[in-house]
Amino acid sequence: MIACLAGVAIAARAVARTPSPSPELLAKGKAAYEGSAAGCAACHGLTGEGNGPVAFAIKPPPRNFVRDEFKGGDKVEQVFTTISLGLPNTKMVGYPQLPEPDRWALAYYVLAFRAGRK
Ligand code: HEC
């Protein structure tokens, strides 16, 4: 019985819940985005405009977060899913290996580029 309850608790914790945005979460997202473990900035650029150092070699090109439409949707849950699973047949692979809190932080950080859209 105790083992059974523990199993339920673990299953419940595995369900993705959208965290609230916060300055701490954005700072975590920025660190992950610019860090080498994920390497997002190499393709998407430090300013999120799809102009990272290797972007020129990639077809289709990396998304410009400020300007482009998002194929997978731009709700934070949708961006989280794209970061987790990637986009088929492109150089945008999924990053399921990143801890889930980092993927949420990245989703909010990506959308922060978008918020500055003109
Ligand atoms: C090797 C280059 C590369 C890296 C590294 C990379 N991306 Fe991408 N990303 C792409 C490309 C290319 C696309 C556009 C694919 C397309 O046009 O369908 C894309 C698209 C996206 C999109 C837009 C999805 C949509 O719905 O249109 C998001 C969000 C995104 N990337 C986030 C990230 C994040 C966050 C990271 C780091 C964890 C990352 N990317 C790392 C190449 C990259």
Side-chain angles (χ1 to χ4, degrees):
M1 182 60 183
I2 288 170
C4 167
L5 283 177
V8 170
I10 290 164
R13 279 182 52 204
V15 173
R17 286 191 53 223
T18 310
S20 303
S22 67
E24 292 74 23
L25 200 63
L26 279 176
K28 188 189 189 60
K30 179 175 164 65
Y33 184 87
E34 295 177 1
S36 57
C40 318
C43 287
H44 293 285
L46 287 173
T47 60
E49 291 168 284
N51 56 359
V54 304
F56 74 95
I58 293 173
K59 296 271 176 310
R63 189 72 68 247
N64 176 332
F65 298 137
V66 179
R67 194 193 61 202
D68 296 344
E69 295 306 315
F70 280 24
K71 286 184 188 169
D74 60 7
K75 290 198 172 69
V76 72
E77 291 83 2
Q78 293 171 316
V79 177
F80 173 85
T81 302
T82 300
I83 294 169
S84 302
L85 305 179
L87 292 171
N89 307 316
T90 75
K91 291 286 189 305
M92 180 60 203
V93 299
Y95 292 82
Q97 74 278 16
L98 296 179
E100 192 183 306
D102 288 18
R103 280 179 274 139
W104 283 114
L106 282 164
Y108 277 113
Y109 190 65
V110 162
L111 288 174
F113 288 123
R114 208 160 179 70
R117 190 148 82 129
K118 305 205 170 57

